[in-house]
């Protein structure tokens, strides 16, 4: 019911040329983001490419994990990401999933704001509420993505002995990683700066729109 009312609302509103351009740009960013994030999350979680042609081995190397800078197998040994611990793969894929969800929610909110501004109601309560939601989605989504990436790195580091005073049993590390690696180098936690910056910009715009709404109310009171 909500989706049908939303669709009929959009059909009843015609965006100006600049608004249509903005909507198109938002949709392009969303589609490109999903085309990148969804396959990436699947390949990290499964440890395999989406399509292996010609009977090729579709298993990916452990270095495919975004949380790793380097992963080199000991000479004469074998191991792939598909052989690694399932929890590690799922945790490693979580930041990418959160990124896709955050961008999707932000795009929906931005397009909703565009259509309501096109109605000549830029300072309405609905627009102001969507600015608050957009700010929360971007800032909270960005922080959660960074925390998820940090958690994946800590989980990896803990199970390969980087956070323990004593050395982990080699057989436990081999079992966890799915192979005998001579060199393992972890990445630093990644902060999604563009998303967080977008949240700060949305916060500033929300403040400006609320100030505009207050001026409109004061002007109506004078009239």
């Amino acid at each position: 019911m909500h989706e049908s009312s939303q669709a009929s609302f959009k059909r009843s509103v015609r965006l100006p040329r600049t608004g249509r351009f903005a909507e198109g740009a938002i949709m392009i960013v969303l589609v490109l983001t999903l085309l990148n994030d969804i396959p990436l999350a699947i390949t990290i979680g499964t440890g395999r490419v989406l399509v292996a042609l010609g009977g090729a081995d579709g298993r990916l190397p452990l270095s495919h994990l975004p949380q790793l800078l380097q992963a080199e197998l000991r000479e004469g040994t074998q191991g792939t990401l598909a052989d690694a611990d399932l929890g590690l793969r799922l945790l490693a894929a979580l930041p990418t999933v959160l990124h896709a969800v955050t961008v999707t929610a932000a795009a929906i909110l931005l397009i909703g704001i565009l259509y309501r501004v096109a109605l000549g109601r830029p300072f309405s309560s609905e627009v102001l509420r969507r600015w608050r939601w957009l700010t929360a989605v971007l800032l909270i989504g960005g922080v959660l993505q960074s925390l998820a990436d940090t958690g994946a790195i800590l989980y990896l580091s803990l199970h390969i002995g980087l956070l323990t005073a004593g050395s982990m049993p080699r057989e436990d590390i081999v079992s966890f990683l799915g192979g005998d690696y001579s060199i393992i180098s972890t990445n630093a936690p990644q902060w999604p700066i563009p998303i967080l910056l977008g949240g700060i910009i949305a916060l500033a715009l929300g403040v400006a729109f609320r100030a505009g709404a207050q001026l409109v109310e004061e002007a109506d009171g004078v009239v």
Side-chain angles (χ1 to χ4, degrees):
M1 184 70 178
H2 177 71
E3 291 181 359
S4 61
S5 62
Q6 205 52 13
S8 61
F9 168 75
K10 288 186 176 182
R11 285 195 298 269
S12 65
V13 179
R14 179 173 176 79
L15 289 175
R17 180 176 299 178
T18 54
R20 294 196 300 271
F21 175 79
E23 182 185 23
I26 292 169
M27 291 304 299
I28 290 173
V29 171
L30 175 59
V31 170
L32 291 177
T33 298
L34 295 179
L35 287 177
N36 176 77
D37 288 353
I38 292 176
L40 180 59
I42 293 173
T43 55
I44 294 173
T46 62
R48 299 174 181 273
V49 297
L50 293 179
V51 179
L53 300 177
D57 187 355
R59 294 177 298 175
L60 291 164
L62 186 68
S63 56
H64 185 67
L65 289 178
Q67 292 77 18
L68 283 178
L69 290 175
Q70 189 178 12
E72 294 186 9
L73 284 163
R74 201 174 300 277
E75 188 176 354
T77 63
Q78 294 181 345
T80 68
L81 177 56
D83 303 316
D85 177 71
L86 176 61
L88 172 63
R89 286 184 272 133
L90 295 179
L91 280 175
L94 182 57
T96 304
V97 174
L98 289 172
H99 182 264
V101 172
T102 300
V103 173
T104 300
I108 293 172
L109 289 168
L110 268 175
I111 291 174
I113 289 172
L114 281 177
Y115 275 90
R116 282 160 178 81
V117 170
L119 285 174
R121 299 181 302 186
F123 305 121
S124 67
S125 60
E126 291 185 353
V127 171
L128 298 180
R129 184 168 62 250
R130 278 170 171 75
W131 277 121
R132 290 194 294 270
W133 288 350
L134 180 61
T135 300
V137 163
L138 291 172
L139 292 179
I140 295 175
V143 171
L144 287 178
Q145 185 182 336
S146 179
L147 291 176
D149 192 55
T150 302
I153 293 173
L154 291 175
Y155 182 80
L156 170 63
S157 301
L158 179 64
H159 284 82
I160 62 176
L162 295 181
L163 298 180
T164 56
S167 60
M168 296 282 291
R170 180 177 172 183
E171 58 271 17
D172 290 349
I173 298 177
V174 171
S175 175
F176 177 75
L177 296 177
D180 190 2
Y181 291 84
S182 59
I183 298 177
I184 290 287
S185 177
T186 60
N187 201 354
Q190 301 299 301
W191 286 83
I193 301 300
I195 286 182
L196 294 172
L197 181 59
I200 295 172
I201 293 174
L203 176 63
L205 288 174
V207 171
F209 271 73
R210 284 194 293 275
Q214 185 174 357
L215 288 175
V216 169
E217 289 180 1
E218 292 175 354
D220 290 341
V222 170
V223 174

